[in-house]
Amino acid sequence: MWSAKTNWPIIPIHATLLPDGRVLTFGTPPGGNAQDGRQLVFWNPRRGLDGSAFQILPNAQSVDSFCGTATLLSDGNLLTSGGASYSTGYSSRESMVLDWRTSEAKRDYDLTAQRWYGTMTKLPDGRAIITGGGAPYADANPGRPDAANDISSTPEIYLPGQDWRSMVGAYSTDAFGAKNTRWWYPRQWVTPTGTLFGISTEKMWEMKLDGNGSIRTIGDFKTIPNNDTKPNTGATSTAVMYDTGKILQVGGNGFHPGWHTPSSAAATIFDITQIGSGRVAVTETAPMAFPRQWPNSVVLPNGHVLVTGGSRWNNDAGDNNVNVVYAAETWNPATGRWTTGASNTAYRGYHSITALLPNGAVLGGGGDQLNGEIYYPAYLFAQNGNGSVLAQRPRIVRLTTVTAGYNQSIDVQTATGDDVREVSLIAVGSTTHGFDSNQRRMTLPFTKNANGLTVAMPTSDNLAPPGYYLLSTVNTAGVPSVGTIIAIAAAAPAMPAQPVTVAQPVRTLVEGSAIKMDTPNWAGYFLRHTGFEGWVSKIDATSPEVARMDASFIVRKWRADANCYSFESANYPGRFLQHYNFQTYLRGDNDEGGRRAQTFCARPALNGSANANDISFEALTHPGYYLRHNNFRVKLMQNTSAPADGTWRVSGAGVVAGSETALESVSFPGYLIRHRDYKGYISQIGKNSSISEKLDATFVVRPGLADSSCVSLESKYFANYYLRHQNFEIRLMPRDASRDRDATFCPRRAQNGSTDMGVVSLESL
């Protein structure tokens, strides 16, 4: 069955399952009105499909990954390269690395060649290779000459931390040339001998990866797309390695989305297990029930291949969607037959994705639509009379480890009574345009022990390149367990039980602003200093002035890292919140070590809150350790339990000397105090207002010119000009020491009765 369609913040034309179980998608800005791969959307499947399950990282990096390619590196970080679009003007040579632990993206090394529509694959030695591609929107006419300046026919190799290198010995127009659009997302996989096997339109090829590389053309497996035989060739097909050295390619019969040909139903098996002896066996299996171009394929934990989406005629839905293929189909490698499954309601063609989820369901999305949906394969159900019920699933209770090397074994504790038929290992995928060049499945040998199974890991990195895999048990009925993400010869993934952040973008704090930090799970309790130690205490507008000031901090960004923050005490300028021996204090240490210990990096709320003002703060010096309250003391602790205690709700602290501020009317939200022609007004000012309007509404809060227990408001725009009253009107005037009392105002409890510390009334001195 399919779930209902759910709104997606963007059109997800790229999807990657991350080591912590989240799915990263990108492809368009929110709203889907342009082609711009700089907007990253994280989806947490554990939180379902409502808005709180999504985190949007806007303008994550100065890299446009639209129609690029991606792979997970051995440290779990995601490398994306190539792509770009006409709407942004960014280069198709750029790369980006996303740190899955922090959800942060950074620019990386540039490619030598342009790689719009290239393919990237992880190699056995941990490097990545990118092939094919060209200049954005290069001519995809299949009748072009073999070689063209706007097409990239020389692969490049990436060594993490050391840049890209061209594989000049592997130059090939058969594999990556302009003719027959062989440069569009070449299909390629690591072979059991450690070489690279590929299919580019009608050509099969093999590449050796040592030195500068070398490549041989194996031959044609079918003709180019045509209206008569309708072969399953071209970039409009889909393919997946469903077992060690065995590949299924289906559908297609087109060069690009504008090539008007009828779709293919054909399905071909490529057996490359003997490629070391120079042999590739190509055989036909049963055709699909429906011809399709631009479908998606994914291998399931039971070894079957799921194919969804596509059109009967290139990328043309037709009048009243007559060409759309809604029904899913599943291929059984044991029988070579297809079974028709449930039908969805969305057209998933060009620009669409599927991704296998840890629970055994499959995410479908894209196809130039702002929505996604979940497919639940038949193995999740059991027949009950004339209806169905949920199937009884085997269960992985625990693993001895989630990291392993080659030729090692791990113990898998299974639930009592589980009758395990096989143990499935599937590489987590990274899909775009209906193809995933990294997903591969194999079964692992196992023996039974007292608590479950002893499972043997792969014997070679050629069979399972270092990285991240879904480990599942499959029972005799073909029902899989929920998968556990493990690392093979790679950095440890997140433990399955670890809470997965996040629901909203991390709010940016404004340098110089005054803030207070409330505890969402203890409403009204604020982070404050008492006796120069960090605590949380209940404070509101009726609390003594000293208590309110103890809970007010000025945001500073330049102590140790401009991307992170330090919190200066409002009533003790020069003293900052600082950790020492995992406790927090108010200190003025100004050496490098002190400044670093005073620096905290904003992270998505550990409690998964959808409130954009909820933030967690990770110590710059101790990754994985966060500011957290514990028995009212504020400490530096790992997020092993009580994630709400490590989440802070950040808001304005009111009018605090030493800060910069904007003053918003409570009775007219969105209207700020500003000066215009040196007179005081309230005006509606927001993100679309001009820079000068925003500056007119921004003030530097100074200790009161006539009474330091009060404040004076200096214009951010006109230095040494202050708000003052003259004839009971507010004006902006240059400082006149004889009139300092007129420019001095004292914060008082809010006259409207609000107990919010950030709401104040200002009384004239």
Side-chain angles (χ1 to χ4, degrees), residues 34-273:
Q35 297 178 347
D36 183 350
R38 292 177 296 162
Q39 315 291 328
L40 305 183
V41 172
F42 299 86
W43 172 54
N44 182 353
R46 300 187 186 106
R47 296 181 63 86
L49 286 168
D50 63 18
S52 68
F54 297 93
Q55 173 202 0
I56 303 174
L57 190 60
N59 295 315
Q61 13 64 29
S62 297
V63 177
D64 179 2
S65 300
F66 180 82
C67 288
T69 183
T71 190
L72 285 174
L73 301 174
S74 296
D75 58 4
N77 291 339
L78 182 72
L79 173 68
T80 70
S81 297
S85 75
Y86 64 86
S87 63
T88 63
Y90 283 91
S91 169
S92 61
R93 294 186 173 91
E94 294 176 346
S95 297
M96 176 268 288
V97 171
L98 172 88
D99 187 333
W100 62 274
R101 296 170 181 83
T102 63
S103 303
E104 294 179 345
K106 295 182 180 179
R107 176 83 178 269
D108 203 64
Y109 298 103
D110 284 355
L111 296 156
T112 300
Q114 299 187 80
R115 300 285 181 181
W116 184 75
Y117 274 46
T119 298
M120 185 154 50
T121 302
K122 169 82 77 58
L123 298 178
D125 58 6
R127 296 181 298 172
I129 187 168
I130 192 168
T131 66
Y137 309 96
D139 185 359
N141 181 354
R144 297 184 71 190
D146 285 336
N149 290 333
D150 58 352
I151 303 305
S152 305
S153 298
T154 301
E156 295 181 60
I157 289 274
Y158 174 85
L159 183 63
Q162 295 189 30
D163 212 344
W164 292 91
R165 181 173 64 85
S166 296
M167 299 285 283
V168 294
Y171 170 88
S172 172
T173 56
D174 272 359
F176 320 116
K179 186 176 181 179
N180 294 337
T181 324
R182 296 176 191 135
W183 56 280
W184 265 50
Y185 284 118
R187 278 70 171 116
Q188 62 192 36
W189 298 266
V190 173
T191 72
T193 59
T195 60
L196 200 67
F197 169 77
I199 308 166
S200 300
T201 310
E202 83 285 17
K203 297 290 184 182
M204 297 181 293
W205 48 269
E206 182 187 17
M207 185 192 308
K208 293 184 177 180
L209 303 166
D210 52 331
N212 288 322
S214 60
I215 194 167
R216 70 180 178 105
T217 301
I218 297 173
D220 295 353
F221 91 92
K222 285 186 179 177
T223 67
I224 62 174
N226 63 79
N227 291 334
D228 299 321
T229 61
K230 292 177 278 192
N232 51 322
T233 55
T236 65
S237 66
T238 184
V240 65
M241 182 178 278
Y242 66 90
D243 199 356
T244 300
K246 295 181 179 179
I247 298 158
L248 178 72
Q249 179 159 309
V250 302
N253 191 39
F255 295 106
H256 56 76
W259 189 262
H260 299 293
T261 48
S263 301
S264 175
T268 303
I269 297 171
F270 299 82
D271 187 336
I272 59 173
T273 55

Side-chain angles (χ1 to χ4, degrees), residues 55 76 91 283 356 399 450 532 583 722:
Q55 173 202 0
S91 169
T283 57
L356 176 66
L399 305 177
F532 299 98
Q583 304 285 333
Y722 287 80

Side-chain angles (χ1 to χ4, degrees), residues 366-408:
D368 292 332
Q369 297 197 50
L370 286 163
N371 55 57
E373 55 197 335
I374 309 296
Y375 183 70
Y376 300 94
Y379 54 46
L380 296 177
F381 305 94
Q383 189 169 352
N384 181 24
N386 294 324
S388 295
V389 295
L390 291 176
Q392 184 69 35
R393 303 185 71 174
R395 187 162 60 93
I396 295 176
V397 177
R398 68 180 296 272
L399 305 177
T400 52
T401 180
V402 292
T403 62
Y406 300 104
N407 283 312
Q408 293 182 352

Side-chain angles (χ1 to χ4, degrees), residues 645-669:
D645 291 349
T647 301
W648 305 90
R649 182 158 295 167
V650 178
S651 56
V655 184
V656 176
S659 67
E660 294 180 7
T661 193
L663 301 172
E664 181 182 26
S665 166
V666 170
S667 55
F668 286 85

Side-chain angles (χ1 to χ4, degrees), residues 527-542:
L527 191 157
R528 64 166 290 182
H529 59 85
T530 301
F532 299 98
E533 295 179 347
W535 293 82
V536 292
S537 299
K538 188 170 180 60
I539 300 173
D540 60 25
T542 65

Side-chain angles (χ1 to χ4, degrees), residues 480-497:
S481 69
V482 172
T484 297
I485 297 177
I486 69 169
I488 297 180
M495 292 298 290

